[in-house]
Each structure stands twice: as C-alpha cells, then as structure tokens.
Amino acid sequence: MRRFMILIPILMVGLLASLAACAGPEADGNQADGSQFDPRDLSGVWQLREGDRGLSPTVPPMTEEGEARLYANIPVRGRALSPPEPGGVLPELEEGEHRGRARAVMPAFSNDPMMQCNPQGFPRLLFDPELVEFVHLEDRFLQFFNWENRHREIWLDGREVPSDEDRVNLGLAWYGHSVGEWQEDTLLVQTFGLDDRGWIDVFGFPKSDEARFEERYRRIDADTIELQTTMYDPKYYTEPWVSDTKVFRREPPESYTFFGWSGLFSGLVDGICAPLDEVDDFNITVRDPAGTAQ
C-alpha cells in the first residue's frame, strides 16, 4: 500500500510532463528549450509564411507620373496577358483587382531588374519567401537574406530618420537608410533614400526617390513575428499604402541544415544570382530563345 501511495505522485508528475510536451512550446508562450520568449528579441531564422508578395492587393490611387512608371515596368508575375507578351490582351479583371497585377509576360519579354541579377531592393526582398535571419547587436538590428546573400542594417543607436538633405548627401541606395526604435513591444523601423530603380514587388509597382516606409514588427509568440508596412510616396501615390499583415514563422535548425554539412550545425548558404550564370548562360541559351519561339 505504501509503495502504491508513493507511486501516485510519480505518475502524476509524469502525466503532467507528457501533457506539457504534447501542448508544445507555443502553449504557454515558451520557446522550444522551455525558456520564456522575449517579445523584444526577434533573433532567429524566419520565413515569410502568410501575406501577399506585394504590400497588399489593394492599391491606392496613383498619380499620372506613378501610373506611367508602373506600366513601363513589365513583370513576369501576376495573371498573364493573352498571349503572354507585350501587346497581349488584358484578362478580365476580378472585383477589386488592380490592372497592374494582371499583365504578366514570358520572362524573355520582361524588364524586371531581377532578371538581370540586379538587387531586388527594399521592400521587395523582404516579401520574398526565402529564409531570413534576424540578429540583434547593441546598436543595430540586422537582417540577413538567404536570397542575394544580402544584409540590411537598421540602426538602433538613436540617430534621426534621414532628412531630405541627408538623402542628397548619402545618395540613394537599393535598401535605403533605416533607423529603428522600440515602442513598447513593437519595433518601428523607418526607411528613406531608396533607389527608385528597384520595384516594390514582383508585380512591378514602382516607388519614387521620395518614398518613405514604416515597418512595425511584433513578436506575438515564440515562433511568430507579424509585420505591417506603410509606404508614403506622394510623388507616385495619392494616399499612403498600408500592407496586409505579413507573418514570419521561426524555422527549426533542421530545416536549414544542408546535406549534413558540419554535422548537426546549421546556417544559411549562398543564394546569389550571378550574371555569369543567369544572364550569360541561362538567359541567352534557354530563356530568350524559348520566349521568342513561334
């Protein structure tokens, strides 16, 4: 009888431990190792899992200059023209669909900068569903993108948002100039001074050299970050463009451990678009002949 009474607490402890394990790390907001997650710690390897490949499907009204720039950009992504080449027939638009998202062509006819291995730029690379690693330093928040093997610096050292004068002095950049600050548990990032040759998204929507972006990152549980982005660009758009909510999920190390390299260690690897491979080889020998074949 005494042995049975001793056994009961042991069984209860085991049962509770099993239930906790089945509930998983998100049940109480804890991380996989059991520690409580810090909403101000965005470190880790993440992947975009939910959200549009652009800012959002709902596009604000554009200026005449903005529309001219939009239709000068010829995308590969989106619903295609018929036939899928310049001059093809526009498909019937769905309710609320913007024409800019329904005019895709074959790659050989596109002038997408990415097709020549130019940088995707900001914010387009942020909306690419490739792995990205977030790293916190004392004075910076870094984003390392697997595609392009690119890093982006967001300064947390108290510097001001770049002004118009700063933009002239610093020059334009594919990923702009970014500063961030914590507002409670939300990381607010402001970016200015962007190179207007980079498209906003795969659909070819443009941004001007006056565009300014605000990003708001919130880590809502151990494995989820939500992001909302707002663009202010009165040169091309008559209203601010507010994105849908982008959801990044934390990736376990086994998902980016490649072919057993370095045993149990993991890490991102090169994802560089090299002109030697893409432009001089694939485009000339495969893509362009296929696009012009009758």
Side-chain angles (χ1 to χ4, degrees):
M1 182 66 177
R2 183 179 178 185
R3 290 181 181 179
F4 180 71
M5 294 299 293
I6 293 174
L7 185 58
I8 290 176
I10 296 175
L11 291 173
M12 290 298 295
V13 170
L15 177 61
L16 291 173
S18 298
L19 290 174
C22 292
E26 292 186 8
D28 57 1
N30 288 345
Q31 302 185 98
D33 62 2
S35 61
Q36 183 71 27
F37 84 95
D38 180 355
R40 286 197 173 198
D41 181 8
L42 307 182
S43 300
V45 175
W46 307 84
Q47 188 169 29
L48 181 65
R49 294 292 191 179
E50 298 176 30
D52 193 73
R53 286 293 301 272
L55 279 167
S56 73
T58 304
V59 182
M62 302 182 71
T63 65
E64 185 176 341
E65 184 179 1
E67 285 199 344
R69 184 64 181 272
L70 168 64
Y71 295 118
N73 296 340
I74 306 173
V76 172
R77 299 295 183 89
R79 294 205 298 131
L81 298 175
S82 180
E85 60 186 56
V89 177
L90 180 74
E92 183 176 349
L93 296 179
E94 300 173 357
E95 184 178 356
E97 183 180 25
H98 193 282
R99 178 187 168 190
R101 297 170 68 102
R103 57 198 181 93
V105 299
M106 293 181 66
F109 300 112
S110 172
N111 61 2
D112 188 337
M114 184 181 170
M115 296 293 174
Q116 303 295 321
C117 289
N118 288 305
Q120 291 193 59
F122 176 85
R124 181 174 175 178
L125 185 57
L126 188 62
F127 302 151
D128 195 305
E130 296 280 348
L131 295 176
V132 55
E133 183 172 13
F134 295 165
V135 179
H136 284 277
L137 300 177
E138 185 176 351
D139 60 346
R140 282 167 292 170
F141 173 57
L142 301 179
Q143 295 176 330
F144 287 95
F145 297 92
N146 186 55
W147 185 243
E148 292 188 14
N149 197 24
R150 180 82 54 184
H151 86 277
R152 177 187 178 213
E153 289 180 319
I154 297 168
W155 292 94
L156 302 173
D157 57 0
R159 67 183 70 189
E160 298 293 327
V161 179
S163 64
D164 286 324
E165 183 180 354
D166 292 327
R167 183 183 60 169
V168 173
N169 294 332
L170 291 169
L172 301 178
W174 286 97
Y175 294 90
H177 312 289
S178 302
V179 298
E181 63 172 341
W182 285 101
Q183 296 183 345
E184 296 183 348
D185 289 338
T186 296
L187 178 61
L188 170 64
V189 179
Q190 300 189 63
T191 299
F192 196 37
L194 289 152
D195 194 311
D196 64 348
R197 293 174 295 177
W199 296 0
I200 290 175
D201 54 30
V202 296
F203 308 108
F205 282 91
K207 61 180 182 290
S208 79
D209 56 0
E210 298 178 6
R212 177 172 62 86
F213 287 82
E214 290 182 354
E215 301 155 77
R216 287 176 169 81
Y217 294 85
R218 290 179 58 248
R219 187 175 182 182
I220 61 172
D221 60 42
D223 298 310
T224 309
I225 292 174
E226 289 186 347
L227 165 66
Q228 188 171 72
T229 303
T230 303
M231 181 183 72
Y232 302 88
D233 188 0
K235 189 173 180 179
Y236 283 178
Y237 302 85
T238 63
E239 299 173 5
W241 190 349
V242 181
S243 78
D244 56 6
T245 299
K246 315 296 182 187
V247 178
F248 291 84
R249 302 290 185 189
R250 187 172 59 170
E251 291 296 306
E254 57 267 22
S255 71
Y256 51 94
T257 299
F258 298 92
F259 309 111
W261 179 59
S262 297
L264 298 178
F265 294 101
S266 59
L268 304 188
V269 296
D270 261 13
I272 296 175
C273 180
L276 284 172
D277 298 325
E278 188 75 10
V279 179
D280 296 340
D281 188 0
F282 179 78
N283 285 2
I284 292 174
T285 61
V286 178
R287 190 198 73 173
D288 294 347
T292 56
Q294 298 299 317

